[in-house]
Amino acid sequence: MGVVDTIDLSGAWRAAEADEASRRALVESDFDSGEWEQVTIPGHWRTHRAFADSDGPVVHHRRFTASTAPGRRAWLIARGVHHSSEIWLDGDDVGATTGSFVPHRFEVTDALTARSEHSIAMEVVSTPEPDLDMKRAVTGLWGDATGIARDWNPGGIWGPVEIVETGPISLTRTRVVCASADPERARLEMRLILDSDTLRDARVRVSVRPADSPGMIVAESTEIHPLAAGPNEITQSVVVRRPRLWWPTALGDQPLYDLEIVVSTADGDTESDRHVVRTGIRTVTADDLVFSINGERVFLKGVNLYPTSITPAYVSDAAIEADLDLAVEAGFDLVRVYAHVAPTHLYREADRRGLLVWQDFPLQHRYARTVRPAALRLATRMVDELAHHPSIIVWCAHNEPTDTANPRPGEAAGPLGRARRIAAQQMPEWNKSVLDRRVRRMITRADGTRPVITHSGVWPPLLGDPSHLWLGWGRGSGRDLAALARRFPISVRFVAAMGAQSVPADGVVRDGDPTRALDWDALESRFGAQRHLFERYVPPGDHSDIGSWAAATRDYQAALLRRHIEELRRLRFSPTGGFCVHYLADAQPAVSCSLLDADRRPKAAYAAVREANRPVIVVADRLPATANPGDTVAVDVHVVNDTRAPLTEGRVTARLVWPGGAHEQRWTGPVEPDTVARVGTLSWVVPATPGPATLELTLRVDGADLATNGYRCEIGHAAAT
């Protein structure tokens, strides 16, 4: 969005811990803060040595020069403050902010008319949550997340602070949604907040231009709106004939349009404000968590995104683009912005690339009842800020509101403990039963063009809720997925989180020192390791040294994710609509479920996921871990074709190899586009020769290997049968 004139107040400010002396300075317009610490805005106070251990509040101050001509209006905009603040200008209280991911706007016309030399001060509060089951601030994973150190505080002014100037009518908020679209006609709807200095009429002209042909106007709409003094909510729409539809990259192109919104006085002679919003034209629907874009059904291969860094003020556009490159390279076509709101550049890049986005509202785990007013207000603001992005296809109101999916340390991990946790999640509870429904209703009211999910990760999932499938990491074994899908298909309609923690290769433990004991206190408190789950699934005691254990954790994560993805893709649309791997990359050094560590070095799981995500794969049912001599093993073989092109005369070869023997079967035939084809069943009588057996699969099309795969089991001794 653009404005008429802007003064950027980024750069050097002065800061001090908030106390009685520093707070008195806030109301002194001529206060000299020269003896305070110098900090850089945007920024985080913890990155400055003087505040490295501070939880605030911290007072920020600077001077600047600006004035406003008669007939013009001035606005102070704070584009990112974590998490709340009080603002003073020239000693007068301007207002308060709450909510770190939305801009806050205040009129300061009188101050800039009265004088040209100014003093701005902000007291910023970022208080850690004392009770994670009764959180009070809408900060999402910034306040409660494995993988972000509990003692980290992101407090500070992490977005620009600006003075913007407009005419007598200011366009203070803009929401754009694509209400309907087909190849013949599309309708874009706008909700605008116009702030007028007095009772008057306003002329609003909307022009639609292709982003790649800015000199061409393809649609226009002009309306006169009566305004009262102060903020006024108006709606307006524009119809685009024969639009170019926006598609995810696998299905088509990503044409974008610029909506130029010009606000002027009713006679049209005085332009007062102007915004440009870039958007795309498309429709999105969901039927039982199977999503369609422009009427075309899509199977979603997704990955959850943590913040790029724990210091978002310093994240560059290039770093965001690099992470999206890594997601696309791994075969993902959806990113889930997990329990936070990302920088604007991420959504712009997703629009440009045709990368789909699942957007969480920043509610993570449990909250106190006092959070509801702020949550409802900020839910609407989130839609205002993001709804014009065509890449966003779904909103989710709350992530894991009950936070009881996995056993905590000391809890029973068997059937009794699991039954207790499931029962606890199904009992009426304020967060999931009241807060989530209210937030969902608010988001739906603000944007009726996209699906809205009430919450994610409540087990078992009810109609319309995606699951978090921690099989093999907290619940049962990774081998349980196929049986679970057969018995409870509702549990795999959409899997929005799955995976296992692993230890990165460098920076957390010393792989090369076999005599050094694991420092579990540090691994748990600083790096987020789930010790009780490691001891259950990858016990350190089974390994001779730390390095081999750390490597084993990475191998376990890779194997688990590969099999989960293959089995969910085999269930494509029957009933599974997609999945999200948890998660792409660490925001700081961590023992976590990430595919990439904080320095973007890939773990073994990254390559495994990339192979499992290929557009065409050949897969088999899971072999038993151990096969006994004389047993008959039968596994179905499938080809999954995500492409919109048929595979003509495909040839699948399945070859079993064991010590001293081999068995091979072949099948030939076409595979239709956008489908899963069962090509045959491999039957095998297990020989009496103990040792490893491997199953090798190859799909050849037009004389070339298109896809390969491999599986392994162990042949037991005859005496063990």
Side-chain angles (χ1 to χ4, degrees), residues 515-526:
T515 64
R516 183 174 181 267
L518 283 169
D519 184 354
W520 276 115
D521 288 341
L523 288 176
E524 289 182 295
S525 62
R526 285 187 58 201

Side-chain angles (χ1 to χ4, degrees), residues 22 53 63 85 96 108 121 151 170 191 206 238 252 261 324 354 369 410 427 443 452 497 565 581 587 611 708 718:
S22 61
D53 298 317
R63 294 187 173 279
S85 70
V108 292
D151 60 358
S170 178
R191 172 190 173 271
V206 180
V238 61
I261 305 167
L324 295 183
R369 297 188 178 213
M427 294 294 289
I443 296 173
V452 183
I565 291 173
V581 169
E611 289 300 310
T708 61

Side-chain angles (χ1 to χ4, degrees), residues 141-163:
L141 53 70
W142 290 111
D144 183 4
T146 301
I148 294 180
R150 183 77 180 98
D151 60 358
W152 168 248
N153 190 321
I157 305 171
W158 65 4
V161 179
E162 300 169 342
I163 301 291

Side-chain angles (χ1 to χ4, degrees), residues 46-62:
R46 282 275 186 110
T47 61
H48 190 282
R49 184 172 56 186
F51 308 107
D53 298 317
S54 175
D55 284 323
V58 173
V59 177
H60 301 71
H61 178 266
R62 70 158 288 172

